[in-house]
């Protein structure tokens, strides 16, 4: 759960969303995709696809959730929340570097 949206990863790889959706961070219909991990920020959400790329939706005022996502070979993601910085997201690459 983020500061405003809540997310759940379904068995089929899609994401269920609920909670505040003022910035598109929790679309009522959820997000279709082949996701393996999710992260909810205060005003945005991120999800790691099976292919290693990252999908983002919601507020992107600080570049924390680019609408086109982030291509790459990532293995983990994290989204900032009210307790640790609401305007950032992180992704760990296979080589150990961080985006």
């Amino acid at each position: 759960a983020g500061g405003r949206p809540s997310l759940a990863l379904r068995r089929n790889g899609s994401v269920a969303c609920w909670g505040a959706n003022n910035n598109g961070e929790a679309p009522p219909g959820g997000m279709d995709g082949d996701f393996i991990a999710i992260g909810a920020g205060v005003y945005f959400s991120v999800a790691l696809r099976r292919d290693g790329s990252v999908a983002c939706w919601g507020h992107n005022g600080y570049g924390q959730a680019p609408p086109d996502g982030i291509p790459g070979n990532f293995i983990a993601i994290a989204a900032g929340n009210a307790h640790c910085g609401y305007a950032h997201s992180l992704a760990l690459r296979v080589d150990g570097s961080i985006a």
Side-chain angles (χ1 to χ4, degrees):
R4 297 168 46 90
S6 293
L7 308 176
L9 184 60
R10 293 185 175 115
R11 289 184 186 192
N12 68 0
S14 65
V15 178
C17 306
W18 64 96
N21 188 40
N22 300 26
N23 298 282
E25 66 269 34
M31 297 295 288
D32 291 330
D34 191 15
F35 300 113
I36 59 172
I38 53 177
V42 176
Y43 299 107
F44 67 97
S45 302
V46 296
L48 179 62
R49 291 187 182 99
R50 190 168 304 279
D51 70 3
S53 63
V54 177
C56 309
W57 59 94
H59 180 68
N60 186 43
Y62 302 99
Q64 73 273 26
D68 292 333
I70 304 166
N73 197 10
F74 297 101
I75 57 172
I77 55 171
N81 60 40
H83 302 290
C84 65
Y86 72 94
H88 72 273
S89 56
L90 304 169
L92 178 65
R93 292 186 180 98
V94 171
D95 68 6
S97 62
I98 297 174

